[in-house]
Amino acid sequence: MDITAFIAQRREALLIGDYNTYRAQLSRQLQAARKRLGLATPKREKFSKKAVTAGEIGGNHEFAHLLLLTSERAWAHAMHMKTAHAEESKGITGSTRSHIISRLAKAAKVAHELVGLLRVPESKGGERDVLEARAYQASLAGGEEFEKQAEGQRSGDGQASAKRWEACLRLYAVARVIYAALYEKERKEVYREILANTVDPTIRYAAYQAHLSRTIAIPTVAKRYFPRDDTELVGQVEKLDPYALKDKPTPKTDGEEKPTASPQEIPNSVTWRGRKANIVDASIGQALASVGTAESRLRSYLSANPTASARDKAAAYDDILIASQDAADATKRAADELEKERVDEGDSRMQDLRVTSLAVNYDLVSWRVGRNRVLIGQDDGLTFSAQQQKKQKRLRKDGTAYVEKEEPRSRKLARLRERVVLYDATIQSIQSVKDLRGAMRDGTFVSELDGKVAYFRALKCLNISYSHTLLGNHLNALALLKRAVDLLAASTPSPVPASAQNPSDKDAPPTTTLEISVQAAEGLQKQTANLLARTHALVEMHKLEANARTAAEKQQTSAAPLVQNLNAYPTPGVRVDLGNLVGYPPRIQPVPVKPLFLDVAWNYIEYPGRKAEAPVEEAGAPPVADTPMVNGGEEESGEKPAEKKKGGWFGFGR
């Protein structure tokens, strides 16, 4: 009968309208169903209720749908009144709440009637139909008990609150266990949506009102309040899932060194950059255990399939991305609940949640970036080469094989465009980490993020330069490569600290995440430097070629004789004039003979090995003896004849 799918399909109308619109739509569907089944009251006749029997349900499933529509209309009426009066300043008063409870009671009564009819063999209802109807009835009855207790504030008496909310928890526990068993059996998305959107939040709120610890997981609360005295229901549930009411053992497989996390292996703390934070909510611990399980599966897949394609490896990241997102959502919900309770930021629970949120969200971004890096290709897109085209198996008409063609330029540009999109998504993901609460307070952490952003921005510039090179725009490629070199020089990604690594993962196969190795950064610097030098040379060559083309068009010739430029290669494009080999007759030109020394200290330096010139004797003056020149050397014993001292430039005196 697909009771759950039938209800979920009808409730899709709530996406485009409110509960009143949904109620009116159900009324029209209910009237049309009664007319088809012959249960409609003719005009001008008194209404008489016609009960549905098990035999009618066995003959036509629309009789079961008739009861479902009736129950759903009563529920929509109750929800419409609740939302309409919740916006008023007075809120929901006593009479309004009584009306809401009566509508929910009617919905639960009709659903209970359907459960009783499906248990009769004449209805031809299977065990799965009975379980779905039982879960639907339990959720409606639990909603009724919820509204009965939701009018007041949380009581300070824990025992009294637990007694008040016990009925609500028992009913929702039945719905939770049945839907979880159905999801484990059939893996339909409709069951998971009901659990995540309706059942689990209600159980969490009821457990909070009953003064249950937040560290108790929702499945544990459901198993604790499940009515185990109902042996028939217990048998039906365990037939679907043997571990619906008990802990699931750890499976042992050959492909996984680390088994799936069991309830005993749920972590109770996280470590973020040397700081340990306790997990204050059980849902966060369960989500982190799921992350560990998904990570072990990813590692086993990568180790078992090293030659898999990039798309297959990227698809293997889906499970861990979903688990990491669930962990981030659970952390946010826990923080929002504490904020609603007006818990101070200095409280230890709030501090632990902030650290946990930062660690969980960083891991989520890290796995996203790792998936993008896998899609980009080997070495993060450091090199770019043409892909090998598929060979034609068939031969030509003449019996010869087809010539292998190179990858078209358009396809190369398309692949580079995909890389650039992935680089943009990676940079945006890393920048989003800075928006997390408490991230900007760690200067070292922010500098590491800036270094990783610079690394991927340099890779982006490098790949865009490849596209410009394919198009022949070498000057643009040169500018982009210079930008990449500047980015790498300004900020280099820091190596992964040893304290940040998980010691249990040292022997595990490597996975691509946000962490950048020193070898990758050095390889990028070397590659960009080499390409920069090569592209610079190409730009210079193209510039010379352009100048030569211009000179050839203008038919320029060298004005100087060829004999004066024998040591230089002829300028490209400039025509050599063979009639101007030498200049004849030669012209008179100044030729430097020897260098010119401007020695301004000529008159103040005594050079070694020379004697001072004898002064001219005046009449009547006593003769003056010659004094030898020492100037740091030994005095010469022999006397040399006095030489005439030259002074000034070119022999002119000073």
Side-chain angles (χ1 to χ4, degrees):
M1 296 181 187
D2 292 333
I3 295 175
T4 307
F6 179 81
I7 296 299
Q9 185 179 4
R10 296 302 179 276
R11 290 189 180 182
E12 288 180 356
L14 294 173
L15 298 175
I16 58 176
D18 56 1
Y19 288 103
N20 194 28
T21 305
Y22 179 47
R23 179 193 174 195
Q25 180 181 355
L26 290 172
S27 298
R28 292 191 296 269
Q29 293 178 2
L30 191 60
Q31 184 179 7
R34 284 174 177 171
K35 288 182 179 180
R36 287 195 304 269
L37 298 174
L39 299 178
T41 302
K43 291 183 179 181
R44 298 178 183 179
E45 289 189 10
K46 188 177 179 181
F47 173 76
S48 59
K49 183 178 180 181
K50 299 178 182 179
V52 178
T53 62
E56 291 174 339
I57 295 177
N60 189 353
H61 290 336
E62 284 200 37
F63 285 95
H65 294 167
L66 184 68
L67 295 177
L68 290 174
L69 290 173
T70 305
S71 177
E72 193 71 5
R73 184 177 66 170
W75 173 83
H77 189 190
M79 293 297 103
H80 167 63
M81 289 189 293
K82 183 177 180 180
T83 54
H85 290 275
E87 298 176 358
E88 298 179 357
S89 59
K90 295 182 180 180
I92 301 177
T93 58
S95 59
T96 305
R97 188 171 297 278
S98 299
H99 196 183
I100 293 173
I101 293 173
S102 68
R103 293 293 89 194
L104 290 174
K106 179 182 178 181
K109 180 181 177 181
V110 176
H112 183 72
E113 181 182 352
L114 176 62
V115 173
L117 292 173
L118 290 176
R119 287 176 175 174
V120 179
E122 287 78 5
S123 64
K124 299 180 182 179
E127 291 185 357
R128 189 175 70 87
D129 298 330
V130 176
L131 282 177
E132 287 188 10
R134 183 70 182 273
Y136 177 64
Q137 182 268 336
S139 63
L140 293 176
E144 177 189 356
E145 294 295 333
F146 183 89
E147 291 300 327
K148 288 181 180 179
Q149 308 298 334
E151 75 277 3
Q153 300 295 328
R154 186 186 186 191
S155 175
D157 189 357
Q159 294 182 354
S161 297
K163 188 175 181 180
R164 287 175 54 199
W165 288 89
E166 182 179 359
C168 178
L169 286 171
R170 282 186 176 277
L171 291 169
Y172 270 107
V174 172
R176 212 276 176 198
V177 171
I178 293 176
Y179 281 131
L182 289 171
Y183 178 72
E184 189 71 22
K185 178 71 175 180
E186 301 179 6
R187 290 292 177 181
K188 289 184 178 180
E189 193 69 17
V190 61
Y191 301 126
R192 192 186 70 84
E193 291 180 356
I194 292 176
L195 289 173
N197 299 332
T198 306
V199 179
D200 286 355
T202 309
I203 293 178
R204 173 57 64 194
Y205 181 79
Y208 164 73
Q209 292 288 349
H211 290 269
L212 296 180
S213 176
R214 291 180 183 273
T215 58
I216 302 177
I218 293 178
T220 305
V221 175
K223 293 174 184 177
R224 179 184 299 181
Y225 283 89
F226 187 82
R228 297 177 184 269
D229 53 350
D230 191 347
T231 56
E232 181 184 359
L233 179 60
V234 171
Q236 291 175 348
V237 169
E238 289 184 345
K239 188 176 180 180
L240 283 178
D241 183 13
Y243 302 101
L245 299 176
K246 55 185 177 181
D247 296 335
K248 190 174 183 180
T250 303
K252 300 290 184 180
T253 58
D254 298 334
E256 295 181 2
E257 297 181 0
K258 186 176 180 181
T260 306
S262 62
Q264 291 77 13
E265 295 177 351
I266 294 177
N268 54 11
S269 63
V270 295
T271 303
W272 169 251
R273 298 181 67 84
R275 179 174 177 178
K276 186 177 181 180
N278 296 323
I279 296 177
V280 298
D281 198 312
S283 60
I284 302 175
Q286 281 190 330
L288 291 177
S290 301
V291 172
T293 303
E295 183 177 356
S296 64
R297 291 175 182 172
L298 175 62
R299 292 183 185 276
S300 62
Y301 175 81
L302 295 178
S303 61
N305 302 277
T307 59
S309 63
R311 294 188 179 276
D312 292 340
K313 290 182 179 179
Y317 279 76
D318 291 343
D319 292 340
I320 195 169
L321 285 174
I322 295 173
S324 300
Q325 185 64 57
D326 292 341
D329 294 341
T331 307
K332 186 178 183 303
R333 285 195 299 267
D336 292 342
E337 290 178 0
L338 290 183
E339 289 179 355
K340 289 179 181 179
E341 297 177 13
R342 298 182 180 180
V343 177
D344 189 73
E345 287 291 337
D347 190 89
S348 59
R349 294 176 297 168
M350 186 63 77
Q351 292 290 324
D352 290 338
L353 269 179
R354 297 305 183 196
V355 176
T356 305
S357 175
L358 190 56
V360 168
N361 283 278
Y362 180 80
D363 289 341
L364 174 61
V365 171
S366 180
W367 291 117
R368 284 178 182 171
V369 173
R371 183 177 182 274
N372 292 342
R373 294 174 71 179
V374 169
L375 287 174
I376 289 171
Q378 189 177 7
D379 298 331
D380 298 330
L382 183 62
T383 58
F384 183 77
S385 57
Q387 288 183 346
Q388 187 176 4
Q389 301 298 304
K390 294 183 179 180
K391 296 182 179 180
Q392 294 286 347
K393 295 182 179 180
R394 59 188 182 88
L395 301 177
R396 288 182 172 181
K397 294 182 179 179
D398 56 358
T400 59
Y402 282 91
V403 180
E404 295 184 8
K405 296 181 180 180
E406 188 181 358
E407 183 183 10
R409 189 178 68 175
S410 59
R411 189 171 300 175
K412 293 180 181 178
L413 293 175
R415 290 198 293 123
L416 288 171
R417 195 177 298 113
E418 292 177 358
R419 283 189 181 184
V420 172
V421 171
L422 292 172
Y423 287 133
D424 288 334
T426 300
I427 295 170
Q428 185 178 1
S429 299
I430 299 174
Q431 294 286 9
S432 66
V433 179
K434 297 181 181 179
D435 298 334
L436 299 176
R437 198 159 187 171
M440 295 301 293
R441 297 179 182 178
D442 192 347
T444 306
F445 178 59
V446 174
S447 63
E448 291 179 6
L449 292 178
D450 292 337
K452 292 169 183 176
V453 169
Y455 174 80
F456 287 105
R457 288 180 65 187
L459 283 170
K460 177 183 174 182
C461 294
L462 177 63
N463 281 267
I464 297 176
S465 70
Y466 287 147
S467 63
H468 282 283
T469 303
L470 289 175
L471 296 173
N473 301 328
H474 297 283
L475 189 60
N476 294 344
L478 178 63
L480 288 166
L481 289 171
K482 183 64 172 63
R483 177 60 176 165
V485 170
D486 294 341
L487 285 171
L488 293 174
S491 181
T492 305
S494 303
V496 183
S499 60
Q501 298 177 351
N502 190 355
S504 62
D505 295 340
K506 289 183 178 179
D507 299 332
T511 54
T512 306
T513 56
L514 181 54
E515 307 303 336
I516 301 171
S517 63
V518 179
Q519 293 79 8
E522 292 177 352
L524 178 59
Q525 290 179 348
K526 184 177 179 181
Q527 177 75 0
T528 51
N530 294 340
L531 288 177
L532 180 65
R534 178 179 178 274
T535 309
H536 193 184
L538 288 174
V539 169
E540 291 295 333
M541 292 177 62
H542 285 295
K543 185 178 179 180
L544 290 174
E545 184 180 356
N547 294 337
R549 190 181 302 110
T550 304
E553 291 176 356
K554 296 181 179 180
Q555 296 183 355
Q556 295 180 354
T557 57
S558 178
L562 182 62
V563 70
Q564 297 181 7
N565 297 323
L566 293 178
N567 297 328
Y569 189 81
T571 305
V574 178
R575 187 167 55 87
V576 178
D577 188 5
L578 298 179
N580 190 17
L581 299 178
V582 294
Y584 187 84
R587 300 178 182 178
I588 300 176
Q589 297 179 353
V591 178
V593 179
K594 60 181 179 179
L596 187 64
F597 295 95
L598 303 179
D599 193 353
V600 296
W602 176 270
N603 297 331
Y604 304 96
I605 296 178
E606 299 293 343
Y607 294 94
R610 294 185 57 191
K611 294 182 179 180
E613 185 177 356
V616 181
E617 297 181 0
E618 298 181 0
V624 181
D626 294 337
T627 57
M629 304 252 331
V630 179
N631 198 2
E634 296 182 358
E635 182 181 0
E636 296 182 2
S637 58
E639 295 183 0
K640 296 182 180 180
E643 298 179 359
K644 186 177 180 181
K645 182 179 179 182
K646 295 183 179 180
W649 299 343
F650 308 107
F652 296 101
R654 292 193 180 185

